[in-house]
Amino acid sequence: GSENTDFLAFNKHSRYNYVGWPACGEIDIMEQNGWDKDNLIGHLHWGDTQTKAYKNQGGTKRVQNTATAFNLYSLIWTK
């Protein structure tokens, strides 16, 4: 929607151009919706390589003042 704050970094050499979404995978470090800016959403999206089924995992976190204060968001990859 118009309130989506996803950051997507696809280029002409990305795997996205060859396999499509969700098989290429997507990492949403921080998303917001238009009606509750303090409810942040983080999600992983991918396509199962065996079954071709859409898969996802993620959750939400409350962070106060996201619309009025500077916040830094990051991802720590452990696997």
Side-chain angles (χ1 to χ4, degrees):
S2 63
E3 294 292 327
N4 193 344
T5 57
D6 286 349
F7 174 77
L8 300 175
F10 298 127
N11 63 47
K12 67 180 183 175
H13 302 292
S14 76
R15 188 169 176 215
Y16 176 78
N17 291 324
Y18 301 105
V19 299
W21 189 95
C24 65
E26 177 183 342
I27 301 171
D28 297 318
I29 295 173
M30 188 280 286
E31 290 184 295
Q32 293 175 311
N33 58 42
W35 55 90
D36 187 359
K37 295 294 187 194
D38 291 338
N39 187 45
L40 303 183
I41 305 162
H43 238 83
L44 302 173
H45 308 270
W46 70 95
D48 186 291
T49 58
Q50 301 299 313
T51 66
K52 308 295 186 215
Y54 165 72
K55 303 283 186 169
N56 71 85
Q57 182 175 348
T60 61
K61 179 161 182 72
R62 301 286 307 166
V63 177
Q64 297 301 313
N65 302 317
T66 62
T68 58
F70 179 80
N71 294 279
L72 180 64
Y73 304 96
S74 64
L75 171 76
I76 299 172
W77 196 274
T78 60
K79 288 186 178 184

